[in-house]
Amino acid sequence: MWIGREGHIGTLRALLDEAIAGRGGSALVEGEPGAGRTRLLKEALPTADEPGCRIRHGSGDELWQGYPLRAVLDCLYGDDFLYGDGFAADTGRSEIVALLNGERAEATTAEASLMAAMDRLLAVVDELCAERPLVLVLDDLQWADDASLLMWQRLSKAAPRLPLLLVASCRPVPRRRELDRLRAGLVERGTLPLFLGPLTPEETDRFAESLVGAPLGPRLRGRVALAGGNPRYIADLVTGLLAKGAVDRDGGRAELTVPPGESGHLSALAERIGFLSPTSYETLRQAALLGTEFDIGQLALVLGRTTRQLLEDLDEPLAAGLLSDTGDRLRFRHEVVHEALYAGVPASVRSALHLDAARALLDAGAPPPVVAGQLRAVPGPMTGWAVHWLVEHAGALNSQSPVLAAELIERAIEQGEPSDADRPVLEERLAEAATLLRRPESAGLVRILRDRAQDPARRVVLGFMLTSALMVQGDMAQALKATEEALAEPGLCAVWHIRLVACRVLCHTDLDRLEAARTEGEATVAAAQRLGDPLAEAEARHAMSYVYYRLGREREALDQVAQGIARARQAPAAGDIRLLMLANLAEGHVKFHRTEDAEKTLEEARTLARLTGSTGRLVGIEARCADLKFRTGRWDRAAEHLEQAAALKVSDAWVPVLVHGMHALILGHQDQRAAAVAHLELVEPDALGVGTAARREAVPLLLARALLAERDGRPHDALRVLLPILSEEYAADMVHERHRLFPDLVRLGLESGDIASAEAALAACEAEAARSHEAPGPATAAIRCRGLFAQDPALLSQAVANYERGSRPLLLGLTLEDLAVALAWHGDLAAARAGLDRAVEAYEALGARWDIARAEARLRTLGVRRGSRTTRRRATSGWESLTPAELKVALLVAEGRSNPEIATELFLSRRTVQTHVSHILGKLQLRSRTEVARKAALRAAGE
């Protein structure tokens, strides 16, 4: 089976079986160039005759379009049409040739001769089908001559009444009106459409691993992902890397060894899109200069052409799937294609084009990030006009894209030799960018500037920046000192006083001076309301929300966050604090199991972070998205968010702890030990000892380490991994997240005979539940811990009921497992078996193979077994073969929902939905969405 196309292969082979049984049909395979249409046809449909069936393959050819019926005749006769006798001689070849050559007297015109040849060809097919079933496979239908298209349409009408299977394939370009009409007619008459969408991330990895002969390392996996799931591009990319010696396979994994910017291995990819017209190709190459995403109006401006002209030239790339429409911009679907086109322009030419583009965009009033993006691509010292522009726009650029701002300012200072008047401005903007980007050197930069500044007002601004930088680094004592120094500056205005006092409230809260923080925070919120400044009030409410959160008053914390976000929306300069509060609001929604509200909030935050270029905030938002998907059981989506977070370049110590920890946890549950260990190895051994920020995000990492130790038969080591959370240091750093670890600590303590540690974990969990009495998570964890410690089925049943209401499938499965153990201890083996069955059902839906093995092992020692059901494999066809995601899509298809509607409902891309639909049709051996609806109705009725 070919990776990623198993469902399509199954569908075509099912049609072949139908044809052999005497029931004809038709299928149309479509996909972008490189999707694997030709290989699919060869894999699914033999090129030689099968027992009881005659099979013929052919293909369209651009050079044959002037020869009527050439494509269909090639399919039916092959080389015999021109050179041979044999099979062709017995089926009317000479008569068809004579008609096409105008050698028959009864056909007085060329049109009449062609129609007569088509009639004779249809008769030949009837004769062949009378002998035995016939399969005609026509590849590259887009190149077929017009007469062949018409003939294929006539054959498709005849196929249902004959043992005749027609399978054609085509790609979306070139666009031909005749082909569009044929497609519409085929589908309307029941031809089964099969679309070859991009490979999923998992399929992409498997395909690439088959090419390199080893599991992929994280850098190579990230590189391969840029191919966008296109099999041909993946193969070209990997083959190019191997040919360049850029892949190291030592140590059991294949890893990339060339720098990320190296593109010498992409030359074959640029050639792959040579099917475009010269004008479209050149326009696409010019578009590559504007980045992986571009505004068509800006491209028209840079090229000096009208938007209408560009739309005509971009129609082919859009149809071919090389570009996709994101709403207000166009995007290269495969980043490696963008890289290949960009690298194909000589470096000296690129620089000149980028500089010209920057000036044209500047003159047209383009936003600062757009101009900066072009300047960034020009190597060497910045020109005078560029430095002056940067001085004027660096502030705006910081608020929209601090990454670009920092890079250009550093170049301007180091290479551009700014004037004495410009240098202080650029230095301050550089410090601001470093703070926004959460760089470790930001505090030192700002401190130097603050100490150098003479103007009190400027010292206040720099003092606030210094406080922010120190808080990012987790040094709250120094942050508090910097705040006090800024508050002592003479002539402090009311707005800056409130903003600095809000910082002081945050520092006191982190230093566990909660009562002082509460009193001052409430007064600061009131003062901000009276002042009426939206930014000051947003920051005051953010500080107050943190105080309430630490006090366990989560609902009041969320109310403060919501009001702060509302005020931040009214202040253009409040983008960063708004992002922070959106992430906090989403986290609060998660704690109260408001999944839909959390997703809407995170989507707003992601949009804002991308718009402003706030990499530091975006990585946290992607991590929050992953956490939500993990908790609610959508582990594939969680992994996608983790990959996106890992790709962002930030220096925060907590990022690898959370990203690789959660990835390892998912893989550990799925019993992919080697991959899980690989992620754990990317976390520094002492990562949890360098500061509180990393410890706050350490829950997934600690759970992953404990899971793998237990899986390796080292329960005592698993216990030792979790024991540090009982310390006062971890209690202060992890705030309210420790409750997620306590049930495992209680269980491992009991199973290891360390009753004291289990009892200490129970006490700590109950204390945290008492402090955080509003959110359901800590309270339910405490109930589960009490049930575990006492082996009390009633308490564990109560925890099960809570998790059922909260849509937490993994926690539900774990607690059902604990309940089954408790029931077995009490001698109720039938109820224990039922609980185990429910736990395994939850695990199977998640793909949590390790949890199934552990649950069965725990219950087996107590005399409870599941028998043959424990080893059952997923069926390969029928409803039982559908994955949970495919089943959801199938049921929505049965309701008559369109692919865009399903994509919106399930938060999937349209391409992913199309892939699911193709797999569903293949596994159910159906030909249309209508048949899915009929099958679903019969299934619901129990037939």
Side-chain angles (χ1 to χ4, degrees):
M1 288 292 193
W2 191 35
I3 294 171
R5 305 302 188 213
E6 294 87 347
H8 301 81
I9 291 171
T11 298
L12 291 177
R13 288 185 176 170
L15 290 175
L16 176 61
D17 291 340
E18 291 277 303
I20 292 174
R23 296 180 290 274
S26 177
L28 179 63
V29 180
E30 297 180 278
E32 67 185 22
R37 295 169 290 103
T38 300
R39 186 171 178 180
L40 172 70
L41 296 182
K42 292 179 178 178
E43 178 80 18
L45 302 170
T47 55
D49 291 350
E50 290 275 282
C53 180
R54 179 183 285 123
I55 301 176
R56 292 291 180 265
H57 282 254
S59 64
D61 191 310
E62 188 176 8
L63 299 177
W64 295 346
Q65 290 192 20
Y67 297 86
L69 293 180
R70 186 65 176 85
V72 172
L73 291 171
D74 176 68
C75 182
L76 186 60
Y77 294 120
D79 290 342
D80 285 341
F81 174 65
L82 293 177
Y83 308 114
D85 295 316
F87 162 67
D90 297 332
T91 52
R93 176 183 64 85
S94 58
E95 187 175 351
I96 294 171
V97 171
L99 285 166
L100 291 176
N101 290 336
E103 298 171 359
R104 298 295 293 266
E106 64 271 24
T108 57
T109 66
E111 182 178 353
S113 296
L114 176 59
M115 296 306 297
M118 294 174 69
D119 290 340
R120 184 66 186 104
L121 189 55
L122 190 59
V124 167
V125 170
D126 277 334
E127 294 166 7
L128 293 172
C129 289
E131 297 175 7
R132 53 177 167 160
L134 175 64
V135 179
L136 298 180
V137 183
L138 181 56
D139 196 11
D140 285 332
L141 191 65
Q142 74 277 356
W143 295 125
D145 58 277
D146 292 348
S148 288
L149 296 181
L150 180 60
M151 189 68 221
W152 199 262
Q153 185 173 8
R154 292 185 65 181
L155 289 171
S156 72
K157 292 179 182 178
R161 63 177 177 79
L162 297 171
L164 171 65
L165 173 61
L166 302 173
V167 180
S169 81
C170 70
R171 65 187 186 193
V173 288
R175 301 289 295 272
R176 294 174 57 195
R177 188 176 304 170
E178 296 80 5
L179 184 59
D180 289 341
R181 282 200 294 263
L182 173 63
R183 281 189 71 263
L186 290 176
V187 173
E188 183 179 350
R189 283 188 297 275
T191 291
L192 176 63
L194 293 176
F195 181 78
L196 302 188
L199 302 183
T200 67
E202 180 186 13
E203 292 165 347
T204 295
D205 288 351
R206 287 169 50 210
F207 182 42
E209 286 170 0
S210 71
L211 296 172
V212 299
L216 305 184
R219 291 194 301 278
L220 181 55
R221 180 182 294 109
R223 189 73 179 145
V224 170
L226 300 183
N230 183 294
R232 181 185 292 167
Y233 297 160
I234 294 169
D236 285 347
L237 175 62
V238 172
T239 302
L241 288 169
L242 291 173
K244 291 283 185 179
V247 176
D248 180 6
R249 282 173 283 198
D250 291 339
R253 284 191 296 170
E255 189 53 284
L256 193 64
T257 59
V258 297
E262 170 64 42
S263 57
H265 55 283
L266 298 177
S267 55
L269 282 170
E271 299 174 3
R272 289 294 188 188
I273 58 176
F275 58 83
L276 295 175
S277 66
T279 304
S280 291
Y281 183 92
E282 185 57 32
T283 301
L284 198 62
R285 195 166 71 145
Q286 293 287 337
L289 295 169
L290 296 182
T292 55
E293 287 191 11
F294 59 93
D295 180 286
I296 190 169
Q298 292 171 359
L299 178 60
L301 181 68
V302 169
L303 297 180
R305 300 167 66 188
T306 67
T307 303
R308 184 180 298 277
Q309 289 172 325
L310 278 186
L311 285 173
E312 293 175 358
D313 293 339
L314 294 174
D315 184 57
E316 274 190 75
L318 281 164
L322 295 170
L323 296 176
S324 61
D325 189 349
T326 64
D328 57 347
R329 298 167 68 81
L330 295 179
R331 177 177 65 86
F332 282 87
R333 277 197 53 242
H334 318 90
E335 290 188 42
V336 290
V337 172
H338 168 262
E339 287 187 29
L341 287 168
Y342 186 80
V345 181
S348 59
V349 177
R350 280 203 308 266
S351 296
L353 290 173
H354 279 303
L355 197 59
D356 289 345
R359 198 58 193 256
L361 292 166
L362 171 61
D363 293 342
V370 175
V371 178
Q374 294 301 305
L375 291 175
R376 178 193 208 177
V378 181
M382 295 181 67
T383 59
W385 71 262
V387 174
H388 292 312
W389 173 86
L390 185 60
V391 170
E392 183 180 351
H393 293 88
L397 189 58
N398 262 336
S399 65
Q400 298 175 60
S401 182
V403 173
L404 270 175
E407 184 174 331
L408 289 181
I409 294 170
E410 285 174 340
R411 280 179 54 194
I413 292 174
E414 294 173 4
Q415 303 172 350
E417 299 182 358
S419 66
D420 292 340
D422 290 342
R423 180 177 290 275
V425 177
L426 291 176
E427 287 177 341
E428 184 172 325
R429 294 308 182 191
L430 178 59
E432 181 182 33
T435 302
L436 289 170
L437 294 172
R438 311 166 78 86
R439 289 182 175 176
E441 70 271 17
S442 60
L445 287 171
V446 178
R447 194 185 300 276
I448 292 171
L449 295 174
R450 186 203 62 173
D451 294 344
R452 185 191 303 168
Q454 299 298 317
D455 178 39
R458 189 159 179 259
R459 286 177 60 85
V460 167
V461 174
L462 291 167
F464 180 84
M465 290 171 57
L466 178 58
T467 298
S468 301
L470 290 167
M471 285 196 292
V472 165
Q473 294 176 11
D475 193 343
M476 290 301 171
Q478 287 298 313
L480 181 58
K481 181 181 177 183
T483 302
E484 299 290 7
E485 291 170 349
L487 284 167
E489 292 289 345
L492 188 66
C493 71
V495 170
W496 276 110
H497 183 270
I498 288 174
R499 296 181 70 186
L500 286 165
V501 171
C503 291
R504 185 163 65 189
V505 170
L506 289 170
C507 292
H508 282 311
T509 305
D510 249 335
L511 294 169
D512 216 23
R513 303 165 186 169
L514 296 180
E515 193 54 38
R518 184 191 63 79
T519 302
E520 187 167 42
E522 289 173 348
T524 305
V525 169
Q529 287 181 287
R530 289 192 299 270
L531 183 63
D533 183 82
L535 177 56
E537 185 177 341
E539 291 180 347
R541 290 192 180 279
H542 166 249
M544 196 65 242
S545 71
Y546 188 46
V547 177
Y548 284 148
Y549 172 70
R550 288 293 302 270
L551 288 169
R553 295 158 62 173
E554 283 97 344
R555 295 185 190 280
E556 291 174 274
L558 286 181
D559 181 62
Q560 289 293 326
V561 170
Q563 292 186 64
I565 291 171
R567 291 297 276 152
R569 290 194 179 109
Q570 300 169 9
D576 189 62
I577 191 67
R578 179 180 161 196
L579 278 170
L580 178 58
M581 289 190 291
L582 283 169
N584 291 344
L585 181 62
E587 190 172 358
H589 286 320
V590 170
K591 289 181 182 296
F592 284 96
H593 297 173
R594 302 168 186 163
T595 301
E596 186 175 346
D597 290 337
E599 289 185 334
K600 289 180 180 177
T601 303
L602 286 169
E603 188 54 40
E604 178 185 350
R606 290 179 77 199
T607 301
L608 179 61
R610 288 171 173 166
L611 182 65
T612 60
S614 182
T615 307
R617 297 299 183 200
L618 182 57
V619 70
I621 292 161
E622 293 290 359
R624 295 288 167 261
C625 290
D627 180 62
L628 175 61
K629 301 298 191 299
F630 173 74
R631 296 190 196 216
T632 53
R634 293 169 287 174
W635 290 358
D636 288 344
R637 297 295 303 280
E640 291 175 11
H641 287 294
L642 292 171
E643 293 283 359
Q644 292 171 17
L648 298 170
K649 305 302 181 185
V650 295
S651 58
D652 298 53
W654 64 266
V655 173
V657 169
L658 178 58
V659 169
H660 295 300
M662 188 178 295
H663 223 143
L665 182 59
I666 292 172
L667 293 166
H669 281 296
Q670 294 173 333
D671 206 23
Q672 298 185 49
R673 183 186 181 282
V677 169
H679 275 282
L680 291 182
E681 289 173 349
L682 296 174
V683 180
E684 294 294 333
D686 61 346
L688 301 185
V690 296
T692 59
R695 285 184 178 178
R696 286 174 185 161
E697 310 295 345
V699 169
L701 176 65
L702 293 173
L703 286 173
R705 287 175 174 172
L707 184 152
L708 290 177
E710 186 178 8
R711 181 198 178 281
D712 291 345
R714 299 180 285 111
H716 293 283
D717 290 341
L719 178 63
R720 278 194 290 273
V721 167
L722 300 181
L723 280 177
I725 70 169
L726 296 175
S727 68
E728 292 183 5
E729 293 83 0
Y730 268 83
D733 292 341
M734 299 184 78
V735 196
H736 297 299
E737 285 300 296
R738 287 193 307 160
H739 71 271
R740 297 169 61 186
L741 298 163
F742 288 132
D744 283 283
L745 187 47
V746 171
R747 176 179 63 82
L748 289 167
L750 294 174
E751 292 179 354
S752 300
D754 190 346
I755 306 303
S757 292
E759 192 169 13
L762 170 59
C765 190
E766 290 182 325
E768 186 164 316
R771 284 193 303 270
S772 307
H773 60 278
E774 294 183 341
T780 304
I783 294 170
R784 183 180 165 204
C785 285
R786 287 198 296 272
L788 273 167
F789 193 80
Q791 289 296 299
D792 186 334
L795 287 172
L796 291 169
S797 295
Q798 183 180 347
V800 165
N802 289 353
Y803 287 134
E804 286 177 324
R805 288 192 295 271
S807 300
R808 297 293 187 265
L810 177 60
L811 291 176
L812 175 62
L814 292 168
T815 312
L816 284 166
E817 178 186 333
D818 295 335
L819 174 59
V821 171
L823 289 166
W825 272 108
H826 285 267
D828 193 345
L829 300 187
R833 185 174 296 108
L836 175 60
D837 287 343
R838 289 187 62 196
V840 171
E841 182 180 351
Y843 294 148
E844 284 179 337
L846 294 168
R849 292 185 290 274
W850 156 245
D851 297 275
I852 294 173
R854 183 199 56 245
E856 292 176 341
R858 288 178 71 192
L859 272 297
R860 191 180 302 119
T861 62
L862 299 173
V864 178
R865 295 176 180 272
R866 299 185 66 242
S868 60
R869 289 174 296 177
T870 62
T871 58
R872 72 177 186 272
R873 297 180 179 271
R874 186 182 294 277
T876 58
S877 62
W879 289 98
E880 294 299 322
S881 69
L882 301 184
T883 66
E886 290 168 351
L887 182 59
K888 290 179 183 178
V889 172
L891 295 177
L892 290 172
V893 167
E895 293 176 8
R897 309 283 282 278
S898 67
N899 283 4
E901 290 171 335
I902 296 172
T904 301
E905 175 83 12
L906 299 181
F907 299 98
L908 300 172
S909 69
R910 296 185 183 184
R911 292 281 191 182
T912 300
V913 172
Q914 179 62 59
T915 300
H916 283 321
V917 171
S918 296
H919 289 173
I920 290 163
L921 293 171
K923 290 180 178 180
L924 298 183
Q925 299 185 11
L926 301 176
R927 303 186 185 187
S928 69
R929 301 167 75 96
T930 303
E931 291 186 32
V932 173
R934 181 173 58 82
K935 283 280 189 180
L938 293 174
R939 179 173 180 262
E943 299 181 22

